[in-house]
């Protein structure tokens, strides 16, 4: 079913809500009254003449969704499951992929199974050899977040009833084992595979859609793209549009659909070549995720997440070998299959989820419009008790109450007494985290046992006596290595952002040495009850009682350590000395909430995403409204504004990183805003607090074609907060 697919009354859901946005509530009702009018009249939400007699919020509640979420069952023995550490995916041998019916290659029709696209730039154009080939199947499978038994609890933290797979009620107080959740996974796992990449060694990944196959006879539930399509984006690879996995391209070329349907494949070519062939543009940690229009959030939440650390072997600078180059922590092992693994260099993907209580009604516009007919929504689903619960269309964004790392809730990692490199990724739909390293004498206590209720139960456990005991040394942001390492007591991690840190487990911050058996907790101190924004954090009304342990480190034996924390890392690409002269003619994009809501609730410059169109800037100081089109090889200033309303927006622009030059009218090129220290680095995501304005400088190099920019609160992106832009020859 496409985004314009017919509802039961023959009108596409996005088309219906475009009418509402364009013509007001009356037009929306005229389109919807055949199925919604009687219900609205019964509830007193129609005036006698048939006009709406409700606010847009009340209308949204009645027509489209119920803003209500279940409380997940309490994990009874946290920090027992080992942290999964992904192994590098093995490439496909040339003898194997050469024998494929449609082998990858540079020729016309060799980019996807539709045979209608060609790779824009084969590696030979930049002097590289043919790519290493990987194969990833998109599969319908299951995943378990914990092996612990759980206790079903209600929003007051009290034991409550639960249900078995047939919907039979089970008495309150009964301990349960969670059923596995249904996922759409890269190679059938969550997170999906990890590709350890290197600059100078291109990679081609064939993503093949097998979501129509259901060998385990699984219930697909009521989220994930309803047509089982996918679209993979390497965030934020310097990649040609046909391999970028963006909806602006997908809808006008390639599949000419929101994504690739079952039985289709696409060969995404990642050159692993820095923008402009400038070593200063090299990055260090990508991830890949689904980007199917209107269902990015649900597909990512359903498991379509993979990891892509990228190393720099030039001069041995950052190749996973702590004996050379920058000597960052890492002991590399080259495997016979052509992959390599790096010990003491560990990616950490954070993801929050919420599990069904069997009694919360499933209802939002995706249900009303019958996108998931097998679910028979609106309805309760006792048969889904303990499985992942998702709401496509929450008012603010979707946050869970169980925090997981690499797909496991409350894991434990035994570390050696030495330095480690951790690559942090926020793979959550909406949640922002703030992390500290803390010790605790008494250990974790369940929030329910401490008397907390409602939103205060999120995270499930707290360490009431937690105290900061170590610091992070930050070495990279989402744009790659920093110019110099920075000591941090804590740091924020916004959706899709990456930060890399070194942690020295040999001593505490006061200089006291650690001993075997000591415990340190990676702790979230940002309280974010919904997807709108945090309520408490270190820089905004800190709550000293909100200390939620997310990952438990247990200090083990000594181990050799040849790593160093260097005085300098990677220099930044220079800004032009006259960048301020470009301010007059900058492009301006404002993110804001729509007035009616629905599928067009979140807008850019007052308009929803139009997949075949290039957006226009707001009127700039020069009095112009230029289209978001840039000549290949050009550079420009773009301004991203948050119109306010108490929402935060993590705003992502595809294809190249940017430098922040101004925040809220202040030049930050010589020193960052205290709330956004990464402004001094390269980034691919603009972190916008309420009402903020950020001006960035970025390039548009090497490729031509359509790309997108969008909010990475995926509930916002899926409801139209995205715009198309392009690079022209």
């Amino acid at each position: 079913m496409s985004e314009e697919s017919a509802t039961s009354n023959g009108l596409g859901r996005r088309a219906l809500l475009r009418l509402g946005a364009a013509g007001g509530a009356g037009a929306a009702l005229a389109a919807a009254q055949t199925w919604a009018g009687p219900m609205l009249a019964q509830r007193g939400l129609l005036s006698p003449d048939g006009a709406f007699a409700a606010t847009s919020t009340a209308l949204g509640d009645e027509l489209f969704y119920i803003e209500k979420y279940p409380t997940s069952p309490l994990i009874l023995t946290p920090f027992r499951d080992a942290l999964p550490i992904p192994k590098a995916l093995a490439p496909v041998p040339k003898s194997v992929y050469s024998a494929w019916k449609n082998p990858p290659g540079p020729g016309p029709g060799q980019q996807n199974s539709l045979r209608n696209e060609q790779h824009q730039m084969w590696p030979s154009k930049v002097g590289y050899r043919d790519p290493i080939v990987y194969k990833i199947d998109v599969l319908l499978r299951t995943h378990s977040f914990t092996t612990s038994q759980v206790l079903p609890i209600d929003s007051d933290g009290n034991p409550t009833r639960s249900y078995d797979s047939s919907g039979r009620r089970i008495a309150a107080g009964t301990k349960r084992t969670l059923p596995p959740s249904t996922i759409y996974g890269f190679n059938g796992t969550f997170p999906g595979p990890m590709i350890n990449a290197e600059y100078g060694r291109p990679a081609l990944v064939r993503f093949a859609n097998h979501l129509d196959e259901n060998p385990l006879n699984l219930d697909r539930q009521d989220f994930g793209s309803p047509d089982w399509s996918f679209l993979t984006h390497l965030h934020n690879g310097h990649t040609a549009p046909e391999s970028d996995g963006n909806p602006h391209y997908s809808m006008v070329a390639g599949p000419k659909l929101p994504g690739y349907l079952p039985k289709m494949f696409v060969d995404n070519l990642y050159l692993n070549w820095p923008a402009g062939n400038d070593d200063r543009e090299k990055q260090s940690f990508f991830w890949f995720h689904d980007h199917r229009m209107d269902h990015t959030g649900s597909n990512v939440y359903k498991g379509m997440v993979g990891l892509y650390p990228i190393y720099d072997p030039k001069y041995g600078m950052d190749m996973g070998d702590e004996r050379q180059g920058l000597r960052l922590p890492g002991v590399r092992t080259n495997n016979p299959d052509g992959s390599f693994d790096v010990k003491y260099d560990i990616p950490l993907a954070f993801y929050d989820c919420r599990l069904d209580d069997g009694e919360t009604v499933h209802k939002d516009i995706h249900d009303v419009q019958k996108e998931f007919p097998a679910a028979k929504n609106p309805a309760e689903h006792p048969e889904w008790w303990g499985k992942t619960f998702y709401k496509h269309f929450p008012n603010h964004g979707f946050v869970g109450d169980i925090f997981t790392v690499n797909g496991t809730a409350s894991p434990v990692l035994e570390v050696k007494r030495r330095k480690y490199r951790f690559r942090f990724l926020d793979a959550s739909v909406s949640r922002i985290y703030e992390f500290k390293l803390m010790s605790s004498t008494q250990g974790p206590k369940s929030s329910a046992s401490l008397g907390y209720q409602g939103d205060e139960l999120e995270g499930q456990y707290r360490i009431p006596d937690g105290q900061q005991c170590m610091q992070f040394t930050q070495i990279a942001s989402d744009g790659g290595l920093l110019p110099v390492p920075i000591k941090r007591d804590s740091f924020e991690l916004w959706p899709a952002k990456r930060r890399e840190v070194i942690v020295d487990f040999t001593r505490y911050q006061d200089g006291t040495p650690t001993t075997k058996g000591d415990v340190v907790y990676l702790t979230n101190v940002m309280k974010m009850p919904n997807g709108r924004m945090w309520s408490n954090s270190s820089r905004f009304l800190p709550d000293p009682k909100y200390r939620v342990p997310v990952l438990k480190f247990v200090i083990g034996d000594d181990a050799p350590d040849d790593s160093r924390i260097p005085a300098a890392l990677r220099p930044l690409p220079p800004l032009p000395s006259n960048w301020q002269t470009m301010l007059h003619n900058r492009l301006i994009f404002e993110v804001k909430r729509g007035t009616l809501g629905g599928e067009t609730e979140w807008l850019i410059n007052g308009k929803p995403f139009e997949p075949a169109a290039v957006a226009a800037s707001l009127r700039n100081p020069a009095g112009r409204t230029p289209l978001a089109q840039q000549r290949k090889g050009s550079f420009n200033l773009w301004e991203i504004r948050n119109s306010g309303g108490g929402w935060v927006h993590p705003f992502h622009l595809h294809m190249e990183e940017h430098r922040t030059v101004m925040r809220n009218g202040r030049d930050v090129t010589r020193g960052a805003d205290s709330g956004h220290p990464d402004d001094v680095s390269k980034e691919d995501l603009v972190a916008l607090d309420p009402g903020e304005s950020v001006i960035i400088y970025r390039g548009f190099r090497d490729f031509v074609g359509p790309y997108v920019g969008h909010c990475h609160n995926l509930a916002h992106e899926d409801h139209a907060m995205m715009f198309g832009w392009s690079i022209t020859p």
Side-chain angles (χ1 to χ4, degrees):
M1 184 184 305
S2 76
E3 56 91 26
E4 289 292 359
S5 58
T7 65
S8 58
N9 69 346
L11 185 66
R13 62 179 176 84
R14 186 179 280 249
L16 183 150
L17 282 141
R18 278 202 201 101
L19 285 175
L29 179 59
Q33 61 186 359
T34 57
W35 53 270
M39 177 267 289
L40 290 171
Q42 182 182 18
R43 300 198 182 192
L45 294 175
L46 288 186
S47 66
D49 61 1
F52 283 136
T55 65
S56 62
T57 299
L59 175 65
D61 287 342
E62 295 298 329
L63 281 182
F64 307 133
Y65 62 95
I66 296 175
E67 194 85 6
K68 180 174 171 55
Y69 303 93
T71 299
S72 296
L74 175 66
I75 295 171
L76 292 173
T77 54
F79 306 110
R80 300 284 182 89
D81 290 335
L83 173 76
I85 301 177
K87 296 292 185 182
L89 181 66
V92 180
K94 186 173 183 179
S95 60
V96 174
Y97 70 75
S98 297
W100 288 348
K101 180 180 178 181
N102 295 299
Q110 286 193 279
Q111 195 269 334
N112 63 48
S113 57
L114 300 169
R115 305 189 67 80
N116 64 351
E117 286 294 322
Q118 181 176 0
H119 293 289
Q120 188 175 138
M121 185 184 296
W122 196 249
S124 57
K125 288 189 177 181
V126 296
Y128 286 175
R129 59 188 176 184
D130 282 353
I132 302 167
V133 174
Y134 296 88
K135 177 70 156 49
I136 293 179
D137 294 324
V138 187
L139 302 174
L140 174 63
R141 291 294 186 269
T142 62
H143 177 77
S144 295
F145 294 102
T146 181
T147 63
S148 168
Q149 283 200 303
V150 300
L151 177 68
I153 59 173
D154 61 21
S155 61
D156 293 328
N158 298 318
T160 190
R161 61 196 177 196
S162 60
Y163 301 86
D164 66 14
S165 59
S166 64
R168 181 176 63 90
R169 184 180 296 178
I170 296 174
T174 305
K175 297 177 182 179
R176 301 287 307 280
T177 297
L178 284 177
S181 291
T182 300
I183 66 166
Y184 292 168
F186 294 123
N187 281 352
T189 66
F190 175 73
M194 180 174 73
I195 295 175
N196 275 340
E198 289 183 289
Y199 278 102
R201 301 184 68 196
L204 183 146
V205 185
R206 174 163 293 187
F207 292 95
N209 190 341
H210 295 273
L211 289 177
D212 56 324
E213 302 167 14
N214 191 357
L216 303 178
N217 194 30
L218 300 174
D219 187 333
R220 294 174 184 267
Q221 300 175 265
D222 58 355
F223 64 95
S225 52
D227 60 0
W228 308 337
S229 65
F230 81 99
L231 191 65
T232 306
H233 170 55
L234 181 65
H235 182 127
N236 186 51
H238 186 55
T239 306
E242 71 275 2
S243 293
D244 181 63
N246 78 79
H248 190 27
Y249 163 83
S250 178
M251 291 293 288
V252 300
K256 296 185 179 178
L257 293 165
Y260 289 91
L261 294 170
K263 303 189 187 307
M264 293 183 183
F265 70 78
V266 59
D267 288 348
N268 283 356
L269 176 59
Y270 307 133
L271 287 178
N272 298 336
W273 182 68
N277 198 26
D278 184 344
D279 286 341
R280 295 168 297 189
E281 297 283 3
K282 289 178 176 176
Q283 299 169 71
S284 53
F285 187 24
F286 298 131
W287 64 303
F288 51 95
H289 63 82
D290 184 76
H291 213 311
R292 196 272 196 196
M293 190 173 76
D294 296 342
H295 288 276
T296 297
S298 62
N299 275 358
V300 169
Y301 183 76
K302 204 164 185 117
M304 295 174 69
V305 170
L307 306 173
Y308 197 98
I310 183 164
Y311 294 84
D312 182 10
K314 191 172 183 179
Y315 309 125
M317 184 176 183
D318 182 19
M319 62 180 296
D321 184 350
E322 63 189 32
R323 298 167 300 176
Q324 57 181 304
L326 292 172
R327 302 187 67 178
L328 300 174
V331 175
R332 176 170 171 151
T333 300
N334 294 317
N335 301 319
D337 59 20
S339 68
F340 65 94
D341 289 292
V342 183
K343 196 174 182 181
Y344 308 121
D345 181 350
I346 300 176
L348 302 174
F350 297 87
Y351 161 98
D352 62 337
C353 64
R354 195 174 287 269
L355 304 181
D356 209 313
D357 61 1
E359 298 184 350
T360 298
V361 175
H362 291 239
K363 179 187 177 184
D364 63 30
I365 190 170
H366 298 255
D367 302 315
V368 172
Q369 297 301 319
K370 308 302 183 187
E371 286 195 352
F372 304 92
K376 298 180 172 60
N377 288 338
E380 299 175 357
H381 284 285
E383 75 278 13
W384 293 349
W385 178 89
K387 297 184 178 184
T388 41
F389 174 97
Y390 185 70
K391 190 173 286 292
H392 298 261
F393 185 39
N395 194 16
H396 305 306
F398 181 87
V399 296
D401 56 2
I402 293 177
F403 301 164
T404 76
V405 192
N406 292 352
T408 296
S410 304
V412 60
L413 174 65
E414 181 176 319
V415 295
K416 303 295 185 182
R417 292 191 66 251
R418 55 154 291 148
K419 293 187 287 297
Y420 280 70
R421 178 180 187 171
F422 293 108
R423 302 175 188 249
F424 284 70
L425 159 68
D426 185 348
S428 297
V429 172
S430 304
R431 183 175 293 280
I432 304 172
Y433 303 85
E434 183 188 352
F435 291 117
K436 286 188 174 183
L437 292 167
M438 290 188 161
S439 60
S440 170
T441 301
Q442 298 178 8
K445 309 292 182 185
S446 73
S447 299
S449 71
L450 296 172
Y452 292 107
Q453 299 177 345
D455 296 335
E456 296 280 356
L457 294 172
E458 290 178 9
Q460 295 211 337
Y461 282 84
R462 301 198 185 190
I463 43 175
D465 64 341
Q467 297 292 326
Q468 182 185 334
C469 63
M470 290 181 177
Q471 290 180 304
F472 306 99
T473 300
Q474 185 181 346
I475 58 170
S477 66
D478 39 310
L481 295 174
L482 301 175
V484 296
I486 302 173
K487 287 284 188 182
R488 298 262 192 249
D489 291 326
S490 71
F491 63 88
E492 294 178 4
L493 195 69
W494 291 46
K497 279 190 77 71
R498 287 87 65 217
R499 281 187 169 177
E500 297 176 47
V501 302
I502 294 173
V503 178
D504 186 348
F505 289 107
T506 64
R507 63 188 65 252
Y508 295 105
Q509 66 185 43
D510 64 0
T512 305
T514 59
T515 60
K516 185 174 180 178
D518 287 356
V519 171
V520 176
Y521 292 97
L522 180 70
T523 305
N524 178 39
V525 296
M526 178 177 282
K527 186 191 298 182
M528 191 170 176
N530 57 50
R532 186 178 188 130
M533 66 174 293
W534 59 87
S535 60
N536 307 87
S537 70
S538 290
R539 65 184 177 98
F540 185 84
L541 296 176
D543 181 353
K545 296 182 179 180
Y546 190 79
R547 305 183 184 102
V548 176
V550 177
L551 170 60
K552 177 181 179 180
F553 296 111
V554 179
I555 308 296
D557 294 323
D558 292 354
D561 187 357
D562 294 316
S563 69
R564 300 285 187 271
I565 298 178
L569 292 160
R570 192 187 296 282
L572 291 171
L575 288 168
S577 59
N578 65 341
W579 66 265
Q580 291 177 323
T581 65
M582 304 167 67
L583 286 167
H584 204 53
N585 205 33
R586 65 187 181 270
L587 275 67
I588 302 172
F589 302 97
E590 182 179 63
V591 296
K592 62 189 299 184
R593 195 176 183 202
T595 54
L596 181 67
E599 289 299 298
T600 56
E601 180 169 9
W602 298 100
L603 309 176
I604 296 176
N605 290 354
K607 298 180 180 179
F609 175 55
E610 291 288 351
V614 171
S617 166
L618 295 181
R619 190 171 301 279
N620 63 23
R624 303 187 180 100
T625 56
L627 291 175
Q629 292 178 330
Q630 300 284 167
R631 289 293 184 102
K632 178 182 173 182
S634 68
F635 294 80
N636 205 355
L637 296 180
W638 284 17
E639 179 180 356
I640 314 296
R641 295 177 181 170
N642 184 349
S643 68
W647 282 272
V648 297
H649 297 288
F651 200 85
H652 171 52
L653 292 162
H654 284 217
M655 206 279 292
E656 280 207 37
E657 290 62 58
H658 62 260
R659 290 276 305 278
T660 299
V661 295
M662 299 190 78
R663 183 177 288 271
N664 301 327
R666 175 179 170 268
D667 183 347
V668 296
T669 60
R670 293 179 177 83
D673 176 271
S674 60
H676 297 281
D678 280 352
D679 281 354
V680 298
S681 67
K682 292 192 297 112
E683 299 176 275
D684 63 48
L685 187 138
V686 179
L688 291 166
D689 287 354
E692 284 197 317
S693 167
V694 172
I695 299 175
I696 61 174
Y697 174 82
R698 61 163 294 168
F700 305 87
R701 288 170 283 186
D702 305 319
F703 307 108
V704 297
Y707 294 93
V708 292
H710 59 88
C711 182
H712 227 290
N713 180 330
L714 297 179
H716 296 177
E717 176 195 330
D718 283 343
H719 295 90
M721 189 171 271
M722 181 158 55
F723 74 95
W725 60 272
S726 65
I727 302 175
T728 59

